[in-house]
């Protein structure tokens, strides 16, 4: 009579262990984005606060006013707020790979990749890493 009870306990223990391993794999080992977007005024080509851009807004095509997302590759340096942007594109629909919109350090200075590295259990680190 003891044998069926032990088997049930082992089965439950294995299921909990597998679930924990899968959860840590999904949250702790994610790769960083291929591109990151910063909000930019296309007239001045300077970075502005991310809250000024709308996620539903189309790409900037050289016409129109307002603020638009400017996409930087992972190897590019993040500009500080108020600084000029270069080396990226306003055309996000032409990119292949994962894109993170916003969330980069407002002080700039680091690369996109180091600023979008994810880590920890259920957390995302978006600060400047060394």
């Amino acid at each position: 009579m003891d044998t069926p009870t032990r088997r049930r306990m082992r089965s439950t223990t294995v299921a909990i262990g597998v679930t924990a391993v899968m959860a840590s794999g999904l949250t702790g080992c994610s790769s960083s984005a291929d591109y990151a977007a910063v909000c930019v005024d296309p007239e001045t080509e300077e970075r502005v606060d991310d809250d000024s851009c709308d996620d539903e807004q189309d790409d900037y095509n050289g016409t129109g006013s307002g603020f638009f997302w400017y996409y930087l590759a992972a190897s590019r340096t993040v500009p500080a707020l108020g600084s000029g942007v270069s080396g990226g594109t306003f055309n996000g629909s032409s990119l292949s790979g994962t894109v993170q919109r916003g969330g980069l350090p407002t002080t700039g200075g680091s690369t996109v990749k180091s600023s979008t590295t994810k880590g920890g259990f259920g957390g995302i680190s978006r600060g400047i890493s060394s």
Side-chain angles (χ1 to χ4, degrees), residues 1-118:
M1 294 296 271
D2 288 338
T3 305
T5 302
R6 285 186 186 170
R7 286 187 183 169
R8 183 173 292 161
M9 290 177 68
R10 283 187 197 156
S11 176
T12 301
T13 302
V14 169
I16 291 171
V18 169
T19 301
V21 168
M22 290 177 64
S24 67
L26 291 173
T27 60
C29 298
S30 299
S31 62
S32 55
D34 298 313
Y35 301 91
V38 293
C39 190
V40 170
D41 179 350
E43 291 183 20
T44 62
E45 295 195 352
E46 292 179 351
R47 183 178 177 195
V48 297
D49 189 79
D50 292 339
D51 292 338
S52 300
C53 282
D54 182 2
D55 286 344
E56 304 300 323
Q57 194 171 28
D58 292 333
D59 293 340
Y60 179 68
N61 60 8
T63 61
S65 61
F67 304 104
F68 295 86
W69 291 108
Y70 186 81
Y71 300 92
L72 298 164
S75 61
R76 304 303 298 188
T77 300
V78 177
L81 285 179
S83 297
V85 294
S86 64
T89 180
F90 283 104
N91 189 359
S93 59
S94 67
L95 304 176
S96 61
T98 57
V99 176
Q100 174 188 329
R101 283 189 178 193
L104 297 174
T106 57
T107 56
S110 65
T111 64
V112 168
K113 186 168 185 143
S114 66
S115 299
T116 59
T117 301
K118 298 176 182 176

